[in-house]
């Protein structure tokens, strides 16, 4: 069995770059989605203040809690499917911080 440092460095480099790009894109996407959701919720509360609609805030908060838990479980499943290399995780972290 041969130890190939060149092949290992190539895998580490590809994993790191893929992780960085994924983390960067995910953070940008999350910013856009959260902005849209925030604007939507603010518009709902504005319409409620004007008397156009009535919002059951308890149901709204339950819905938000459910969506959050589903998102966390989806992220956990996705992380389980991703290659578990340290380079990918490190690249993802750096990309997420830069995004």
């Amino acid at each position: 069995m041969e130890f190939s440092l060149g092949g290992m460095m190539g895998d580490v480099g590809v994993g790191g770059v893929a992780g960085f790009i994924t983390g960067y894109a995910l953070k940008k996407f999350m910013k856009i989605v959260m902005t849209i959701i925030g604007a939507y919720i603010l518009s709902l509360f504005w319409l409620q203040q004007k008397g156009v609609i009535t919002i059951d805030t308890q149901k709204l908060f339950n819905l938000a809690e459910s969506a959050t838990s589903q998102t966390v479980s989806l992220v956990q499943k996705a992380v389980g499917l991703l290659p578990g290399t340290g380079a990918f995780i490190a690249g993802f972290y750096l990309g997420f911080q830069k995004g």
Side-chain angles (χ1 to χ4, degrees):
M1 180 194 275
E2 285 186 38
F3 181 72
S4 173
L5 187 60
M8 187 173 72
M9 293 306 283
D11 289 343
V12 168
V14 169
V17 170
F20 182 85
I21 292 170
T22 303
Y24 187 84
L26 181 65
K27 187 163 184 183
K28 291 295 184 185
F29 177 74
M30 284 176 45
K31 283 181 180 180
I32 292 169
V33 168
M34 295 305 285
T35 301
I36 292 170
I37 290 172
Y40 178 69
I41 290 174
L42 283 174
S43 69
L44 288 177
F45 284 125
W46 181 75
L47 287 172
Q48 179 185 15
Q49 181 186 16
K50 296 297 180 188
V52 176
I53 62 173
T54 304
I55 298 175
D56 184 356
T57 53
Q58 186 60 39
K59 285 186 180 180
L60 180 65
F61 292 136
N62 288 341
L63 178 65
E65 181 181 351
S66 171
T68 302
S69 66
Q70 287 177 354
T71 303
V72 167
S73 103
L74 178 65
V75 167
Q76 288 173 343
K77 288 178 185 177
V79 167
L81 294 174
L82 292 174
T85 64
F88 183 88
I89 294 170
F92 182 86
Y93 175 76
L94 291 174
F96 199 79
Q97 291 297 317
K98 285 288 184 187

